[in-house]
């Protein structure tokens, strides 16, 4: 790593000493874009990187609510509005007990480049709360969402900041938050995405992230001379992204053999198809956050308690659960099992040292910023649908989504070519994403 980038990484470390996830992504992105900075000294002079690694704004607020027993609970809510260089801040809301600024800043920072790769006019942001939705009643979820938005509403708007879902926040939560926003702001507008279709939501948004991942993975396999049909695929997670990914993979003739939850993973060599995929939705809605019952229901499957699916031999690995789910030990097992392809579905699922090890051993990696950008791309379609007061059809959405994903892959390959990076798709995506943001920032002056 050159001295140039080290300087910025040191600044980030000094300013954010207790936020390892944020520092991890800053290091990954800055290391990749070093050749661009060497070519553009004007970016350095304009303090572009110092500005980029500092969120434009961050709010932290109290979220008081009353549980079903009448006990007052207090959580912490946040929104990090990272970059508005390309458009209104755009990114999800995460509800999970481990949410703190380091996680949201990592997600917000990644979102800038992901959103840039889509080619659409959206900036980057992320928000959330240290609230655990597991085991909460529907009424508790509604009261929490309403209290969260009672503060958040003043910071967001269709041309300012447009939140969506993320872990722990799905259609139900977006509905409650959008309802409370509408009541407080007295506006029925495109401030939220991931809404139900009867609330102005986009047809096909639910499956967009998963479908997009598979379109990206298909392009990646094609690039390396292989095809999707007949591939065995190990997935993690059992939420929305896993469900969409499994559905599309099956449609394209691949066989999904694993899913996972915090309790362990399921290996189903017969393939997770049809009714079994529908069952994922049932599991998710159970609010229990476990996948063990799957093995009881489907006899072809085996449950491995406390383990991760990366120990299973597969042609393609697609993590869809959460950050850092592939660590060094997992990478070593994957290499031992002769892994060839890893396509990242969840945000930053692989640690930097695991990435380096996998790459050294010839594993081709499709980075999450590029591969999972289909979700937010369709969110932007939802924003335009709301702004135009029209409704797109599912067919419209699928067609646009596929085009966007193919384009993202091409942009990454093109950046690899321009900077002699071989087939390093991680660096290619980081560079292509960065270039657009940097150009926009240069036009806007020092802001
Ligand atoms: N949370 C999703 C992501 O990580 C979607 C964000 C959005 O649609 O705004 O990209």
């Amino acid at each position: 790593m050159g001295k140039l980038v080290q300087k910025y990484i040191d600044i980030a470390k000094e300013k954010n000493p207790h936020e390892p996830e944020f520092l991890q992504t800053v290091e990954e992105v800055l290391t990749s874009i070093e050749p661009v900075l060497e070519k553009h000294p004007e970016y350095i002079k304009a303090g572009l990187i110092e500005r980029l690694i500092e969120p434009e704004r961050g709010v932290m607020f109290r979220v008081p609510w009353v549980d079903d027993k009448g006990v007052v609970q207090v959580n912490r809510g946040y929104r990090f509005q990272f970059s508005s260089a390309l458009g209104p801040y755009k990114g999800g809301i995460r509800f999970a007990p481990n949410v703190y600024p380091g996680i949201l800043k990592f997600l917000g920072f990644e979102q800038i480049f992901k959103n840039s790769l889509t080619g659409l006019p959206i900036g980057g942001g992320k928000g959330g709360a240290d609230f655990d939705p597991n085991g909460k009643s529907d009424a508790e979820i509604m009261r929490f969402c309403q209290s969260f938005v009672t503060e958040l509403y003043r910071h967001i708007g269709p041309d300012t900041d447009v939140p969506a879902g993320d872990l722990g926040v799905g259609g139900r939560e977006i509905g409650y938050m959008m309802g409370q926003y509408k009541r407080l702001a007295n506006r029925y507008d495109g401030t939220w995405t991931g809404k139900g279709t009867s609330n102005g939501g986009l047809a096909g948004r639910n499956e967009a992230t998963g479908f997009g991942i598979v379109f990206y993975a298909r392009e990646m396999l094609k690039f390396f001379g292989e095809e999707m049909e007949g591939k065995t695929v190990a997935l993690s997670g059992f939420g929305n992204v896993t469900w969409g990914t499994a559905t599309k993979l099956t449609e394209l003739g691949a066989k999904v053999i694993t899913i996972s939850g915090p309790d362990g993973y399921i290996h189903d060599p017969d393939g997770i198809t049809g009714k079994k995929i529908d069952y994922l939705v049932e599991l998710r809605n159970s609010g229990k956050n476990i996948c063990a019952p799957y093995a009881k229901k489907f006899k072809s499957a085996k449950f491995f308690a406390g383990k991760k699916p990366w120990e299973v031999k597969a042609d393609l690995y697609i993590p869809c659960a959460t950050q850092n789910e592939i660590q060094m030990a997992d990478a070593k097992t994957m290499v031992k099992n002769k892994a060839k392809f890893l396509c990242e579905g969840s945000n930053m699922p692989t640690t930097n040292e695991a990435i380096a090890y996998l790459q050294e051993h010839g594993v081709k990696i499709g980075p999450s910023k590029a591969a999972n950008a289909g979700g937010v791309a369709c969110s932007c379609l939802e924003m335009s649908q709301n702004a135009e007061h029209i409704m797109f059809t599912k067919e419209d959405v699928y067609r646009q989504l596929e085009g966007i994903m193919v384009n993202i892959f091409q942009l990454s390959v093109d950046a690899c070519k321009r900077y002699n990076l071989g087939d390093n798709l991680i660096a290619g995506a980081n560079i292509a994403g960065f270039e657009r943001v940097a150009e926009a920032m240069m036009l806007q002056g020092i802001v």
Side-chain angles (χ1 to χ4, degrees):
M1 190 191 311
K3 239 177 152 181
L4 187 59
V5 168
Q6 190 58 51
K7 176 182 121 186
Y8 301 119
I9 295 173
D10 290 344
I11 295 176
K13 280 187 181 154
E14 202 184 311
K15 287 200 175 178
N16 312 278
H18 306 297
E19 299 177 356
E21 297 85 358
F22 176 51
L23 296 174
Q24 182 181 334
T25 177
V26 165
E27 192 166 333
E28 186 221 286
V29 172
L30 296 193
T31 308
S32 306
I33 62 168
E34 186 150 39
V36 187
L37 297 180
E38 277 163 5
K39 211 171 137 191
H40 290 280
E42 72 275 19
Y43 291 174
I44 304 195
K45 204 163 156 236
L48 197 136
I49 303 299
E50 286 95 327
R51 288 186 282 134
L52 198 57
I53 59 177
E54 191 67 17
E56 287 178 21
R57 187 180 298 111
V59 286
M60 184 180 100
F61 48 95
R62 179 169 70 199
V63 188
W65 58 284
V66 181
D67 71 16
D68 286 347
K69 295 192 187 90
V71 178
V72 175
Q73 304 283 347
V74 179
N75 286 93
R76 246 183 206 181
Y78 307 89
R79 185 76 179 164
F80 284 94
Q81 300 177 326
F82 229 110
S83 167
S84 61
L86 293 177
Y89 310 107
K90 182 82 198 85
I93 298 277
R94 177 175 290 196
F95 290 164
N98 66 355
V99 162
Y100 82 109
I103 295 244
L104 297 177
K105 277 157 71 180
F106 119 61
L107 290 163
F109 188 68
E110 294 249 307
Q111 200 84 44
I112 305 171
F113 308 101
K114 181 195 311 200
N115 295 2
S116 167
L117 280 168
T118 65
L120 298 166
I122 36 179
K126 205 87 184 191
D130 61 350
F131 169 75
D132 187 358
N134 287 304
K136 301 288 189 298
S137 72
D138 194 49
E140 287 177 325
I141 296 280
M142 182 176 77
R143 289 196 295 274
F144 180 81
C145 288
Q146 290 179 337
S147 181
F148 183 79
V149 168
T150 300
E151 172 58 33
L152 186 68
Y153 92 97
R154 67 187 91 246
H155 307 289
I156 58 179
D159 298 312
T160 310
D161 184 353
V162 182
D166 196 80
L167 295 184
V169 177
R172 173 181 62 168
E173 290 74 17
I174 293 291
Y176 292 149
M177 290 197 273
M178 176 261 185
Q180 181 75 348
Y181 167 84
K182 178 167 67 74
R183 187 181 182 200
L184 292 166
N186 195 26
R187 288 173 64 99
Y188 198 123
D189 58 27
T191 295
W192 296 86
T193 65
K195 306 181 290 288
T197 45
S198 37
N199 280 167
L202 186 79
R205 174 65 186 86
N206 278 347
E207 57 271 37
T209 310
F211 279 25
I213 290 167
V214 181
F215 291 140
Y216 180 93
R218 185 195 62 193
E219 293 307 298
M220 178 171 151
L221 291 179
K222 233 194 267 170
F223 181 74
F224 291 106
E226 303 216 19
E227 56 180 40
M228 190 59 91
E229 201 176 339
K231 290 272 180 293
T232 50
V233 190
L235 301 184
S236 62
F238 66 90
N240 190 46
V241 178
T242 309
W243 162 75
T245 305
T247 306
K248 196 47 147 190
L249 282 170
T250 309
E251 214 180 288
L252 297 188
K255 194 202 262 185
V256 176
I257 53 171
T258 67
I259 55 160
S260 74
D263 54 337
Y265 79 90
I266 295 286
H267 183 207
D268 189 343
D270 281 3
I272 299 171
T273 57
K275 273 201 184 110
K276 294 172 176 172
I277 295 180
D278 297 341
Y279 185 62
L280 293 185
V281 181
E282 237 176 85
L283 273 182
R284 192 174 77 223
N285 294 345
S286 72
K288 290 203 187 94
N289 208 11
I290 50 166
C291 68
Y294 181 104
K296 284 208 182 98
K297 200 170 159 75
F298 302 108
K299 292 297 164 222
S300 54
K302 248 181 136 176
F303 175 62
F304 295 86
K307 294 271 175 81
K308 294 194 253 179
W310 319 128
E311 60 185 28
V312 171
K313 237 180 158 94
D315 298 320
L316 169 64
Y317 295 86
I318 310 186
C320 297
T322 190
Q323 67 273 355
N324 293 330
E325 47 177 316
I326 299 181
Q327 310 249 340
M328 193 57 165
D330 306 308
K332 286 192 170 155
T333 312
M334 287 163 75
V335 167
K336 240 187 243 153
N337 280 337
K338 305 207 164 27
K340 276 168 84 177
F341 298 105
L342 164 66
C343 181
E344 298 182 331
S346 43
N347 290 313
M348 201 173 74
T350 321
T351 63
N352 287 349
E353 53 163 11
I355 288 178
Y357 184 84
L358 290 168
Q359 283 182 327
E360 268 162 37
H361 290 82
V363 179
K364 309 297 178 203
I365 306 179
S368 52
K369 268 181 221 88
N372 77 17
V376 74
C378 286
S379 274
C380 192
L381 300 184
E382 187 169 332
M383 287 162 71
S384 33
Q385 164 175 291
N386 294 155
E388 289 178 73
H389 303 282
I390 55 165
M391 296 295 274
F392 293 130
T393 64
K394 221 179 215 181
E395 291 66 40
D396 272 340
V397 173
Y398 289 163
R399 188 179 39 78
Q400 295 206 55
L401 170 63
E402 190 165 357
I404 290 168
M405 297 315 297
V406 171
N407 191 48
I408 290 177
F409 188 81
Q410 280 313 323
L411 285 174
S412 311
V413 169
D414 175 59
C416 285
K417 272 198 200 128
R418 283 187 286 118
Y419 283 93
N420 283 326
L421 296 165
D423 55 22
N424 185 348
L425 296 170
I426 300 182
N430 283 335
I431 289 179
F434 171 70
E435 285 177 327
R436 203 173 153 232
V437 181
E439 279 162 31
M441 285 177 77
M442 290 305 283
L443 293 175
Q444 290 169 19
I446 311 297
V447 291

